[in-house]
């Protein structure tokens, strides 16, 4: 039986607070660290989260820091942590581009980054074949690859710490406020109809607007501006929006 997924967005990072997309792989703000502590309390109070037996994380500073604070009660229990480049953010701006694992490994020596794809964080070379390219085709395919990898895992409950743009456009078509979380099952019926991996949100987090009730309620798919036009993508002209510039509940955010 495929696992239940707890999908989590990182807490507020420096680029979210300043709207400065030139900050390379930004860390959390003080508010972001506070949000991560609130995430910790929320997840610790969840009977489902207590059953988590694998943590998957995007190998970027803001997701790693959110996980280290917010899921610390699980890590201390020995739940393994799996950094996976497939879960990183969409755009190729500096704020959405990670560091190499030699740098991140020194900052987070407690985690094993040896399994991270060595091509990461390159998003600009070989746009036609690069799985991390900032194109609609590549990102939607990356979302399917993420779900395919988890579908056959032996664990029963998997927590994933990722990014709002990628989660919305490629994984579950939902908005996530900073440090909020949602619960999903694989929707076998829809998967049979569509021929791909599809998630169904739990009634509780869907109606509430996330586990902490801070996220938009409803379905939010791909919209104009999420990705560069294909012709522009081929010559590296990327102007589309990555993550939300306004961290306000109730607004549509990427």
């Amino acid at each position: 039986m495929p696992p239940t997924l707890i999908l989590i967005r990182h807490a507020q990072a420096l680029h979210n607070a300043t709207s400065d997309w030139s900050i390379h792989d930004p860390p959390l703000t003080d508010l972001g660290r506070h949000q991560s502590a609130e995430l910790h309390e929320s997840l610790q109070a969840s009977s489902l989260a207590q059953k988590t037996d694998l943590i998957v994380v995007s190998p970027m500073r803001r997701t790693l820091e959110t996980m280290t604070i917010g899921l610390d009660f699980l890590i201390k229990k020995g739940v393994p942590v799996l950094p996976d480049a497939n879960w990183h953010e969409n755009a190729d701006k500096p704020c959405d581009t990670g560091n190499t694992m030699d740098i991140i490994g020194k900052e987070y020596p407690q985690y094993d980054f040896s399994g991270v794809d060595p091509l990461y964080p390159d998003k600009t070379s070989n746009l036609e074949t690069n799985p991390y390219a900032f194109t609609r085709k590549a990102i939607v395919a990356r979302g399917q690859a993420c779900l395919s990898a988890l579908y056959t895992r032996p664990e029963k409950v998997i927590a994933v710490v990722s990014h709002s743009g990628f989660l919305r456009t490629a994984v579950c078509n939902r908005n996530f406020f900073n440090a909020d979380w949602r619960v999903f099952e694989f929707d076998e019926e829809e998967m049979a109809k569509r021929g791909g991996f599809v998630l169904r949100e739990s009634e509780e987090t869907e109606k509430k607007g996330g586990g902490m009730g801070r996220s938009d309620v409803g379905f939010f798919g791909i919209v104009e501006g999420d990705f560069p036009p294909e012709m522009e993508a081929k010559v590296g002209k990327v102007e589309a929006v990555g993550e939300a510039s306004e961290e306000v509940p109730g607004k549509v955010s990427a």
Side-chain angles (χ1 to χ4, degrees), residues 72-92:
D72 127 279
F73 69 101
L74 296 171
I75 297 169
K76 286 179 178 178
K77 289 198 302 185
V79 175
V81 172
L82 177 64
D84 186 346
N86 273 333
W87 288 92
H88 80 280
E89 186 57 298
N90 294 349
D92 63 355

Side-chain angles (χ1 to χ4, degrees), residues 97-138:
T97 302
N99 280 286
T100 56
M101 292 305 97
D102 58 331
I103 293 174
I104 292 298
K106 290 177 182 177
E107 295 181 12
Y108 290 92
Q110 66 269 47
Y111 307 127
D112 180 8
F113 297 96
S114 62
V116 174
D117 184 355
L119 177 61
Y120 173 82
D122 176 19
K123 296 185 176 185
T124 58
S125 66
N126 302 316
L127 291 186
E128 290 295 323
T129 58
N130 188 334
Y132 308 125
F134 181 32
T135 66
R136 176 171 178 157
K137 179 181 177 182

Side-chain angles (χ1 to χ4, degrees), residues 7 14-15 30 42 46 51 56 63-64 78 96 111 119 122 154 159 171 178-179 199 212 214 232-233 240 248-249:
L7 302 183
L14 189 57
H15 69 300
D30 288 342
S42 179
S46 165
K51 298 175 183 177
V56 179
T63 41
L64 287 163
D96 292 332
Y111 307 127
L119 177 61
D122 176 19
V171 178
N178 286 127
L199 297 181
M212 301 175 74
R214 296 177 176 178
E232 290 185 351
V248 181

Side-chain angles (χ1 to χ4, degrees), residues 147-204:
L147 295 179
S148 176
L150 297 188
Y151 183 78
T152 55
R153 296 276 321 184
E155 294 86 5
K156 302 300 182 185
V157 181
I158 299 176
V160 181
V161 186
S162 186
H163 306 262
S164 60
F166 181 65
L167 291 172
R168 177 177 59 83
T169 61
V171 178
C172 63
N173 298 133
R174 299 293 190 277
N175 275 343
F176 288 73
F177 189 67
N178 286 127
D180 208 352
W181 54 280
R182 295 177 180 270
V183 176
F184 293 87
E185 304 284 352
F186 284 89
D187 191 332
E188 305 279 3
E189 184 176 342
E190 284 299 312
M191 286 165 55
K193 292 178 182 177
R194 302 186 196 182
F197 291 93
V198 181
L199 297 181
R200 179 183 66 254
E201 186 170 11
S202 74
E203 184 176 355
E204 181 180 359

